[in-house]
Amino acid sequence: MLITDDFLPVPVPESLDATYLVPMTGLPRVSPKTAVEGLAGRLSAPVYGLAKQMLDSPLMSVDTRTVDEFPALPPDLLTAFGATDEQLARLAAATHLVVVQAEYRPGWPPAHEWAARAVAAAVAETAGGDVVDVFGLQFLDPATALRSLPDEHGRIRLVDWVLVPYSSHADGLWFTTKGLRRFGLLELQAQGVPDHLTRAWGAVMTGAARRLLRDWTEGLAGEEVPAFVQLPVLATVTGHDIAVAYGNPEQHGATAPVLLRLELDPATDPDADSFLSLNPPPGHPGPPGRYFAAACATLFNGIQPDVRYTRTGDAMSRAVETARAALGDIRARFLAGRLPTESQLVVKYGLPGDDGPEYVWAGVTSWDAPERIVGASASDSDSDPSVRIGSPVVVEASEVVDWAVLDGAGIIEGGWTQAVLDAGERQRED
């Protein structure tokens, strides 16, 4: 095994397994094979064939057990990962569980996950029930589970398979991934992330997961499963990585890449998880949080996607007034093609939220009517689950509070509210 300072040897497990549950009241009325046959024409041909093949092989088992025969699932963790009261109530009322388990070698495709999820979704659909992903501790309705499976070209949205939870610590936020172990790779973690970067850094972690997963599966492409895969110590993450992970590869402009240093953090407890830590590259001065903020600024063209404010009569409100006064002029220049070459126009607008307006950015793709802007979201929204990085959005001009013209280095014009936020951040650092 070749070990250099440029690569990190990461151990490969001998095999991988997936477990999905379908809670039921009473026994299932349809066999798993019949349920899967009902998906003909609705699943991509490769996945449909894979599910049928695995179902007929010793690599997959489908058993019906009483609820008492299976370890209880923790309702608090299920809730933390999105379970609704209705889903928890159906689980509590269930008398039986259909348990779908599959095993496969590490590599691509992850046949164990794709086949097991497809079979579980087929069974749940016939019963009008839920799918429980045991690894992710997530409830999935059958339609959502089926949508997460790959298309004819084997493409998936990584966000359907990998979560990025975080928690607060004294030196900032601690982010981890939850889902890379499905593919045999260690989970990622980053510590000391500034509090205001919750969504931005979550997207960066997802993009990093996509890039490293690609390197990982390429290292497993041979006929024999190796004991280790060499991953680059300096991982490169781009805006394209993020967009692909969210399923929108065509809706992210070119951005400068950022470097993250990979470090193995082995668990001291045999029952605990080891991690691959994401750190600033060698030679970066200052705390990690400063580099993480700079990385987000680079990947999101210098804009912060998670800005909230409700103040009036201060520097922020003056910034909004300045931006709105110039909307007509920037629209005219956008339509006339008079913006700098290889630049992008973005607007910041408000979404209603429980704690007041949430302000997010969107790249402008067309602006035919003065009162309506069509674009692609530059960030995820907490308030509206349909607003995700790269998703199409329609913005009322009356809701715009700022605009900016961006190039590969960041904001070159506009961005008045961002300037106020950046000034406040510098004051906090000082």
Side-chain angles (χ1 to χ4, degrees):
M1 179 180 64
L2 176 65
I3 300 177
T4 73
D5 291 339
D6 297 328
F7 292 92
L8 181 69
V10 178
V12 180
E14 293 183 1
S15 65
L16 302 172
D17 59 79
T19 301
Y20 289 84
L21 308 178
V22 182
M24 289 190 172
T25 302
L27 297 173
R29 301 176 182 176
V30 177
S31 71
K33 184 173 293 188
T34 301
V36 170
E37 289 173 351
L39 298 179
R42 296 169 54 199
L43 283 178
S44 67
V47 177
Y48 180 69
L50 178 65
K52 293 189 68 175
Q53 183 180 0
M54 291 279 284
L55 194 56
D56 289 333
S57 80
L59 296 174
M60 177 179 284
S61 64
V62 182
D63 302 311
T64 300
R65 307 180 192 176
T66 63
V67 170
D68 295 339
E69 294 180 79
F70 199 89
L73 297 173
D76 53 341
L77 289 179
L78 289 169
T79 301
F81 288 110
T84 66
D85 292 340
E86 292 77 12
Q87 290 168 332
L88 293 174
R90 287 194 291 270
L91 177 62
T95 60
H96 292 78
L97 297 172
V98 176
V99 183
V100 182
Q101 295 180 301
E103 182 179 1
Y104 202 64
R105 56 161 278 177
W108 200 265
H112 59 298
E113 282 287 352
W114 290 358
R117 185 173 286 198
V119 171
V123 172
E125 190 173 67
T126 63
D130 305 301
V131 176
V132 180
D133 171 12
V134 173
F135 178 89
L137 286 176
Q138 273 192 302
F139 275 90
L140 303 169
D141 63 79
T144 299
L146 293 174
R147 281 197 302 271
S148 71
L149 294 167
D151 61 15
E152 294 286 345
H153 303 286
R155 295 173 300 196
I156 60 170
R157 295 191 336 147
L158 193 61
V159 291
D160 293 329
W161 298 87
V162 177
L163 304 175
V164 187
Y166 63 89
S167 58
S168 296
H169 286 255
D171 60 346
L173 300 176
W174 175 38
F175 279 77
T176 62
T177 59
K178 185 175 178 60
L180 288 177
R181 282 196 296 112
R182 301 178 189 273
F183 312 104
L185 182 57
L186 297 178
E187 302 292 358
L188 306 181
Q189 70 172 358
Q191 301 183 60
V193 179
D195 291 351
H196 68 284
L197 295 178
T198 52
R199 281 173 291 152
W201 188 253
V204 174
M205 290 279 286
T206 306
R210 182 258 174 184
R211 173 58 65 100
L212 291 170
L213 183 59
R214 189 182 67 176
D215 294 337
W216 175 254
T217 53
E218 287 177 354
L220 296 171
E223 292 186 6
E224 297 294 328
V225 178
F228 294 86
V229 167
Q230 301 275 9
L231 293 180
V233 170
L234 288 180
T236 302
V237 183
T238 67
H240 180 70
D241 290 317
I242 296 172
V244 171
Y246 280 79
N248 295 287
E250 73 287 351
Q251 295 190 17
H252 197 294
T255 62
V258 300
L259 292 177
L260 294 168
R261 178 170 54 86
L262 209 60
E263 183 178 330
L264 179 61
D265 184 11
T268 55
D269 183 343
D271 295 326
D273 292 331
S274 297
F275 286 97
L276 292 172
S277 295
L278 298 178
N279 300 302
H284 172 73
R290 186 172 299 173
Y291 182 80
F292 296 153
C296 290
T298 298
L299 291 171
F300 295 101
N301 290 316
I303 59 178
Q304 298 296 344
D306 53 344
V307 174
R308 297 174 184 269
Y309 59 85
T310 57
R311 296 171 294 171
T312 59
D314 58 6
M316 186 63 77
S317 62
R318 290 193 297 273
V320 172
E321 291 172 2
T322 302
R324 284 176 169 168
L327 269 182
D329 177 69
I330 194 62
R331 173 177 178 265
R333 291 164 55 198
F334 172 79
L335 294 176
R338 290 191 282 113
L339 297 181
T341 304
E342 297 185 355
S343 67
Q344 182 183 20
L345 175 63
V346 296
V347 294
K348 182 191 287 185
Y349 65 102
L351 293 171
D354 294 338
D355 300 323
E358 176 188 10
Y359 293 91
V360 293
W361 291 89
V364 178
T365 55
S366 64
W367 197 348
D368 296 334
E371 68 278 4
R372 188 168 294 108
I373 305 167
V374 178
S377 180
S379 59
D380 289 347
S381 166
D382 281 343
S383 307
D384 187 342
S386 68
V387 178
R388 290 292 178 263
I389 293 175
S391 63
V393 293
V394 178
V395 180
E396 297 298 323
S398 60
E399 297 174 351
V400 172
V401 297
D402 200 358
W403 58 265
V405 178
L406 314 171
D407 66 7
I411 296 175
I412 57 176
E413 184 181 355
W416 293 273
T417 64
Q418 192 65 43
V420 174
L421 292 165
D422 291 343
E425 183 64 25
R426 286 193 295 271
Q427 290 176 357
R428 284 193 293 272
E429 291 181 352
D430 295 341

